Amino acid sequence: AVEPFMLDEMSDANREQLETYAFSIWNDLISKISLQRNISETDLNSYADNLLISTSEKAAEYKLVDGLKYKDEVNTQLAELTSTDFDNINFIELSDYIKTPELIGDDFKLAKDKIAVIYASGSIEMGEGDTYTIGSENIPDALRQAREDENVKAIVLRINSPGGSALASEIILREVKLAAEAKPVVVSMGDYAASGGYYIACAADKIYANSNTITGSIGVFGLFFNAKELLNEKIGVNVYTVNTNKNSDVGAFYRTMTADEEKYMQFLVEDIYSKFITHVAEGRNMTVAQVDSIGQGRIWSGLNAVEIGLVDSIGGLNDAIEDAAQLAGISEYRIINLPELKDPFQEIMNDLSAEVRAKVIINTLGKEYIYYEQLNKIMNSQGIQARMPF
């Protein structure tokens, strides 16, 4: 059996990856500030090292901001710039502005060609998924819908995820590959697209990331919890089993794993990691050995990821959309967002139903509910994971 261990300090390997990421973000940040504010990078580092920007007045003194104003003063300035009263300024959301049909003469032209933007946000899980999770059903369904729609000329997959279930990631990747065979697929990474988040991105024709996106974390681990003490001593539940075979309850959470089971689980982890780096190698035109050398679970910033070939370009969602249009050879198009939002009333009813179920369980278990809740969270994340462990 593998003996548990605890580090008294950060490992050298972990320190190296975190320093690489932190300095990549910092150097990019101060270079942009230096360019826009006309302040040398040396001075900016001095400001940070000596804590010189302690107040908003100091920020203005050192030229990091142009001036200090209250909200009403900003409103007055906007009114002056628009030559109108602030209350009469017509504000419009950028998302609505982008979707406005093009004005041709006196008529609005609604483009027939479409680019589908598919939003994959949250942890990757088996099942339907929702607003906060990437499901193995809803995102593949959205990809399939966009692939089969002849008016959709390109797909942009917007990923904001730390990863999750390795199986769900594999299912989603399959649909990404099928979509890429039919039409251009471009990935746009948000704050993070790591581990499983990168897994579902690697087969795209083009990958965009922000300079400070957390990506990579090409690695796999297994979570198999031993809740024997929790069940026996905290909740007072004893589990007895009748098995037809020696390993019928392999990985069971109510007992300690055997040495043979640990060996078996280690094989599964390494097998899925092998599949992971093979997918990346195929998608990024690299060798498996090259991917393995930058994999091993290590995280990278968007800037670092461009340098090592995991990402093609630094850019945001609009850049990805424009590139997708070019790859599709279209100049006039409109955006559709997928998956389609569910009926708000139905969502409210679902939330109320979940709340009622939770109250029944709380009333039944009383103060022991906290253990049930913790156990439920643990069990939902048990198994082989392609997840950023942060």
Side-chain angles (χ1 to χ4, degrees):
V2 177
E3 294 295 327
F5 67 94
M6 180 178 294
L7 293 174
D8 294 327
E9 58 184 23
M10 185 183 296
S11 68
D12 292 339
N14 195 28
R15 180 175 296 279
E16 179 185 353
Q17 76 158 342
L18 293 178
E19 283 183 347
T20 300
Y21 176 77
F23 277 102
S24 171
I25 300 305
W26 175 248
N27 291 334
D28 179 60
L29 176 64
I30 63 171
S31 68
K32 291 176 177 176
I33 295 175
S34 175
L35 178 64
Q36 296 298 324
R37 303 304 301 179
N38 195 26
I39 304 171
S40 72
E41 294 183 22
T42 300
D43 286 343
L44 288 170
N45 274 306
S46 177
Y47 297 169
D49 290 338
N50 296 291
L51 301 177
L52 296 182
I53 314 301
S54 55
T55 64
S56 55
E57 288 79 10
K58 288 292 184 181
E61 177 184 344
Y62 287 99
K63 309 301 181 183
L64 290 178
V65 299
D66 294 305
L68 306 179
K69 291 181 182 293
Y70 289 100
K71 184 176 180 179
D72 65 284
E73 294 176 305
V74 174
N75 291 345
T76 299
Q77 186 174 7
L78 286 174
E80 293 174 351
L81 291 172
T82 55
S83 301
T84 184
D85 294 332
F86 178 79
D87 293 336
N88 294 324
I89 296 177
N90 183 23
F91 292 97
I92 182 171
E93 296 287 343
L94 180 60
S95 58
D96 293 332
Y97 177 78
I98 292 174
K99 291 185 290 186
T100 302
E102 182 181 359
L103 181 62
I104 306 296
D106 296 327
D107 299 320
F108 283 103
K109 179 180 180 182
L110 190 61
K112 179 182 178 181
D113 292 338
K114 298 179 287 188
I115 292 180
V117 179
I118 299 175
Y119 290 90
S121 300
S123 177
I124 300 175
E125 300 177 0
M126 292 297 296
E128 175 60 28
D130 53 33
T131 306
Y132 310 104
T133 59
I134 301 171
S136 62
E137 295 182 18
N138 63 341
I139 299 303
D141 286 347
L143 286 163
R144 194 176 305 113
Q145 178 183 339
R147 169 166 59 89
E148 295 175 351
D149 187 339
E150 62 181 17
N151 291 324
V152 172
K153 303 304 181 182
I155 298 170
V156 173
L157 181 59
R158 174 68 171 182
I159 302 174
N160 208 42
S161 173
S165 164
L167 176 57
S169 300
E170 177 72 23
I171 292 171
I172 296 169
L173 177 65
R174 169 63 178 173
E175 287 297 332
V176 173
K177 287 185 174 182
L178 290 176
E181 291 175 359
K183 57 194 64 176
V185 176
V186 178
V187 162
S188 169
M189 295 180 171
D191 293 334
Y192 50 178
S195 202
Y198 191 81
Y199 199 118
I200 66 176
C202 65
D205 296 299
K206 196 83 171 283
I207 299 177
Y208 280 85
N210 297 316
S211 57
N212 60 348
T213 295
I214 299 177
T215 189
S217 192
I218 299 170
V220 179
F221 62 90
L223 287 174
F224 301 95
F225 300 98
N226 177 12
K228 180 177 176 61
E229 183 178 343
L230 171 65
L231 291 170
N232 297 166
E233 299 181 14
K234 300 295 185 181
I235 303 180
V237 174
N238 293 297
V239 178
Y240 300 93
T241 65
V242 176
N243 298 337
T244 59
N245 296 88
K246 177 182 177 181
N247 295 308
S248 294
D249 61 347
V250 61
F253 68 92
Y254 46 78
R255 62 172 175 79
T256 302
M257 293 176 66
T258 66
D260 286 342
E261 287 175 328
E262 288 182 356
K263 183 178 179 180
Y264 171 69
M265 295 302 178
Q266 183 65 38
F267 166 79
L268 292 180
V269 168
E270 293 177 2
D271 179 64
I272 293 175
Y273 177 70
S274 177
K275 289 183 173 67
F276 193 167
I277 60 177
T278 299
H279 285 314
V280 175
E282 293 172 351
R284 302 303 300 169
N285 195 26
M286 303 167 69
T287 67
V288 171
Q290 287 174 322
V291 177
D292 187 37
S293 69
I294 57 177
Q296 303 291 330
R298 181 169 178 172
I299 63 170
W300 303 93
S301 70
L303 287 171
N304 293 147
V306 171
E307 295 171 355
I308 62 178
L310 293 180
V311 168
D312 293 296
S313 300
I314 298 298
L317 178 58
N318 287 339
D319 297 302
I321 292 173
E322 291 175 2
D323 200 357
Q326 291 181 2
L327 290 173
I330 57 176
S331 57
E332 296 180 357
Y333 55 89
R334 54 193 171 99
I335 306 297
I336 62 169
N337 298 321
L338 298 173
E340 296 177 357
L341 295 177
K342 294 183 179 179
D343 178 66
F345 179 76
Q346 187 61 48
E347 286 287 278
I348 292 173
M349 295 304 296
N350 290 340
D351 290 342
L352 289 175
S353 298
E355 184 177 345
V356 169
R357 288 195 298 270
K359 286 184 177 179
V360 170
I361 297 173
I362 291 173
N363 291 335
T364 302
L365 296 179
K367 65 180 182 179
E368 308 298 341
Y369 174 76
I370 185 174
Y371 301 117
Y372 165 82
E373 185 181 36
Q374 292 172 349
L375 181 60
N376 193 45
K377 289 180 179 179
I378 288 172
M379 295 309 300
N380 284 337
S381 59
Q382 179 160 278
I384 307 298
Q385 300 285 306
R387 185 190 300 267
M388 182 173 62
F390 290 92

